[in-house]
Amino acid sequence: MVRIPEVKLSSGGKPMPRIGVGTAVFPFASSEAMRAAILRSIELGYRHFDTAAIYQSEEPLGAAIADALRAGAIRSRDELFITSKLWCSDAHPHLVLPALQKTLRNLQLEYLDLYLVHWPVSTRPGKYVLPPAKEDLLPIDMSAVWRAMEECHALGLTRSIGVSNFSSKKLETLLSIAKIPPAVNQVEVNPLWQQRKLREFCVAKGIQVCAYSPLGAKGTHWGQNWVMDCGVLKDIAAAKGKTLAQICLRWVYEQGDCVLVKSFNEERMVENLDILDWELSEEEKHEIGQIPQRKGFAGLDFVSDDAPYKSTAELWDGEI
């Protein structure tokens, strides 16, 4: 069984395994196939699992953890690193704690290892949909929401807190008011969206970057084919005797990021772990560094003339 390296978080909570399993399947849905695949991934050595209220994957993940404990694949829940996320409709100060408590019930767990604010966006309460209706987009009181996140941490319901889809500017604003700084920023990272500026900022501030869509999330609402169709990556993969997916995952890993992989196919689950005992050459890294940049998920779902963010430039503070 592969042992996945870990990275310490600024919060002092449990170290985060550098390779994690994403559970977002679009359209969002819960399934027995997901539960079985998660159990198999635990048996193969994966220990870091990423879910969210919006994904509808919390319950099958919780069931798979229970299955793994019964089967002896793990001795204790403490062997796992579990992340979930606060959806926009719960990004209101009075709803943060109830949302986390619901997530814990879904997962059959007493605590999370990491709880993230999913987007720097609020929507009308009670609706768990992506994309949200434009008329439901509301201003977020980030200071008050973050205080509620800090309260969840103080109660022991999550070991670490963080954010997702935050720009450098939004992180800087949050850092100026936070008693507990965000331990993680989970964002889109792949060879076609390398996030150099954001990563430099996060490294300087002690915030761990966790990469979603490392292969471009082909086939999802937020994904594109651009990464898997990239000629530079195809050429490097062919020359190295690796798959294009492995080249992408190794590249993200070498940046120092945690990387989330998602496949319910056992062959690919094994393949995605086979990135730890080889390296990209300096020439290969240089070639990847020259790939023209284009963001896969621009976040248009959260932009409207009548909403707090009028443009993607406002949503990302020009980092697009």
Side-chain angles (χ1 to χ4, degrees):
M1 188 173 69
V2 176
R3 184 163 182 83
I4 299 169
E6 299 173 330
V7 62
K8 291 182 179 178
L9 300 179
S10 63
S11 58
K14 189 186 301 177
M16 176 189 278
R18 293 280 310 281
I19 304 173
V21 176
T23 61
V25 177
F26 197 81
F28 298 132
S30 173
S31 70
E32 283 299 309
M34 180 184 293
R35 174 179 176 172
I38 293 169
L39 174 60
R40 185 61 185 134
S41 66
I42 293 173
E43 293 169 346
L44 291 170
Y46 288 97
R47 292 295 180 264
H48 173 184
F49 294 88
D50 181 88
T51 183
I54 188 70
Y55 299 164
Q56 298 182 38
S57 61
E58 291 175 336
E59 289 187 356
L61 173 55
I65 293 169
D67 292 341
L69 286 165
R70 279 192 294 271
I74 51 172
R75 293 184 301 277
S76 164
R77 174 264 181 267
D78 294 341
E79 294 180 32
L80 303 178
F81 189 103
I82 307 298
T83 300
S84 194
K85 308 181 196 77
L86 177 80
W87 186 239
C88 305
S89 55
D90 288 322
H92 304 271
H94 66 291
L95 295 179
V96 174
L97 177 57
L100 176 52
Q101 290 169 328
K102 181 179 179 182
T103 280
L104 291 172
R105 288 194 299 273
N106 289 342
L107 288 163
Q108 305 175 52
L109 298 179
E110 294 181 358
Y111 71 92
L112 291 179
D113 295 288
L114 179 64
Y115 196 41
L116 304 177
V117 178
H118 207 149
W119 284 88
V121 174
S122 285
T123 58
R124 201 172 307 283
K127 298 181 180 180
Y128 295 84
V129 292
L130 182 71
K134 298 295 187 181
E135 61 269 21
D136 289 341
L137 296 170
L138 302 170
I140 185 169
D141 184 348
M142 195 60 222
S143 178
V145 167
W146 193 252
R147 283 197 299 274
M149 294 286 286
E150 291 173 331
E151 178 64 17
C152 291
H153 180 270
L155 291 169
L157 299 179
T158 181
R159 300 295 196 251
S160 297
I161 52 178
V163 295
S164 183
N165 300 300
F166 272 51
S167 66
S168 302
K169 183 177 178 181
K170 287 181 175 61
L171 284 172
E172 195 155 29
T173 300
L174 178 56
L175 288 168
S176 72
I177 55 96
K179 292 180 181 176
I180 302 172
V184 169
N185 186 21
Q186 187 184 120
V187 291
E188 178 184 355
V189 181
N190 55 61
L192 272 73
W193 193 245
Q194 298 182 14
Q195 297 272 32
R196 294 187 189 99
K197 176 185 175 183
L198 180 64
R199 182 179 297 103
E200 287 174 8
F201 181 90
C202 288
V203 168
K205 300 297 184 181
I207 300 170
Q208 177 64 44
V209 172
C210 187
Y212 72 75
S213 299
L215 309 182
K218 180 178 178 179
T220 68
H221 169 70
W222 57 90
Q224 303 287 350
N225 300 347
W226 303 332
V227 175
M228 300 304 287
D229 291 343
C230 177
V232 171
L233 297 174
K234 288 180 179 179
D235 291 345
I236 292 173
K240 212 164 185 72
K242 303 292 182 182
T243 66
L244 188 151
Q246 287 174 319
I247 297 300
C248 291
L249 298 177
R250 179 67 200 185
W251 178 85
V252 174
Y253 184 86
E254 289 189 14
Q255 306 308 301
D257 301 348
C258 293
V259 58
L260 298 175
V261 300
K262 192 201 71 64
S263 178
F264 296 160
N265 175 288
E266 183 170 341
E267 183 179 342
R268 291 202 186 94
M269 287 184 204
V270 174
E271 177 188 298
N272 290 340
L273 284 175
D274 185 20
I275 64 167
L276 298 172
D277 60 355
W278 54 274
E279 296 179 350
L280 295 166
S281 69
E282 290 302 319
E283 182 180 349
E284 289 161 345
K285 287 187 279 191
H286 177 75
E287 289 177 21
I288 292 172
Q290 300 304 305
I291 295 174
Q293 296 295 284
R294 55 197 309 199
K295 183 166 178 54
F297 190 24
L300 288 168
D301 295 337
F302 304 107
V303 168
S304 170
D305 289 341
D306 299 319
Y309 301 117
K310 315 294 184 194
S311 66
T312 54
E314 285 187 12
L315 177 61
W316 301 107
D317 298 302
E319 296 174 21
I320 187 167

